[in-house]
Amino acid sequence: MNLAEVIRTIPDYPKPGIMFRDITTLLADARGFRRAVDELVQPLAGAKIDKVAGIEARGFILGGAIAHQLSVGFLPIRKKGKLPYETIAESYELEYGVDEVEIHVDAVRDGERILLVDDLIATGGTAGAAIRLLERAGATIVLCAFVVDLPDLGGAEKLRAMGKTVTSLIAFDGE
Ligand code: AMP
């Protein structure tokens, strides 16, 4: 099976010129979902992981399944204002304006080894902020794993320039 074939592409969503890579069709496909989880954890091959951190919202679905597979805990990286306890935040640039991601102050123990997961990396703004946040909290990022990479937008390269190991299952040209 070809994973790229179970990802649906919606042109001009949410605005003209964007090709939205919709993974709900992959998640709905039992073999596709299993395969994506298996392949995302493959590069870890014996590496010790203490926790999986998933980026809201699609990173929660993949990250939750991966955490279960690895028998480790899950840490949600949420958009601003959603977490109930005391938080720390990191902001990142959007095309227009800025946004913030947050975790609870006690979400990471010093030196914890973390696998960061999201469905897709584009410019790397979101994942970059997540990395800065986790590292500020004392984490070591072992691997950053994405189902889809949009290499033309340079996000994976940006994370590699931050010294991170990045893996993805499928690359699509363009935005
Ligand atoms: P970025 O911060 O630019 O790397 O954008 C990554 C985040 O935005 C991820 O959480 C993705 O789910 C979402 N995203 C960005 N571009 C797309 C796209 N073309 N299709 C689907 N999701 C996208």
Side-chain angles (χ1 to χ4, degrees):
M1 105 176 279
N2 181 350
L3 278 183
E5 283 170 8
V6 291
I7 294 175
R8 174 165 56 192
T9 297
I10 300 164
D12 300 320
Y13 182 88
K15 57 181 189 181
I18 303 291
M19 299 286 272
F20 193 86
R21 307 301 178 174
D22 172 22
I23 66 148
T24 62
T25 42
L26 179 152
L27 298 173
D29 183 302
R31 284 195 307 148
F33 191 10
R34 156 68 48 203
R35 171 96 169 264
V37 169
D38 286 344
E39 288 191 14
L40 285 169
V41 300
Q42 218 169 337
L44 291 168
K48 183 180 169 292
I49 295 289
D50 295 309
K51 228 172 239 165
V52 175
I55 300 175
E56 186 171 356
R58 292 177 291 270
F60 290 177
I61 304 163
L62 292 158
I66 291 170
H68 181 73
Q69 172 126 331
L70 296 175
S71 300
V72 299
F74 178 79
L75 187 175
I77 299 177
R78 299 216 62 177
K79 306 281 163 63
K80 189 179 171 167
K82 303 280 185 72
L83 287 167
Y85 185 57
E86 200 182 327
T87 58
I88 55 170
E90 189 73 38
S91 58
Y92 59 99
E93 305 271 330
L94 297 173
E95 202 177 348
Y96 306 103
V98 291
D99 213 340
E100 275 181 32
V101 283
E102 293 184 334
I103 57 174
H104 279 142
V105 282
D106 58 357
V108 176
R109 259 177 271 120
D110 212 27
E112 266 190 326
R113 294 168 57 81
I114 287 187
L115 165 63
L116 178 68
V117 176
D118 202 359
D119 65 326
L120 180 146
I121 181 154
T123 66
T126 320
I131 290 168
R132 293 194 301 277
L133 187 57
L134 292 167
E135 289 185 338
R136 259 175 58 206
T140 298
I141 313 293
V142 178
L143 179 70
C144 306
F146 306 89
V147 175
V148 177
D149 180 20
L150 305 182
D152 294 345
L153 295 181
E157 270 322 298
K158 187 174 136 188
L159 301 196
R160 289 188 182 105
M162 292 168 77
K164 302 304 153 209
T165 306
V166 181
T167 186
S168 60
L169 306 184
I170 302 155
F172 287 114
D173 293 336
E175 290 193 19

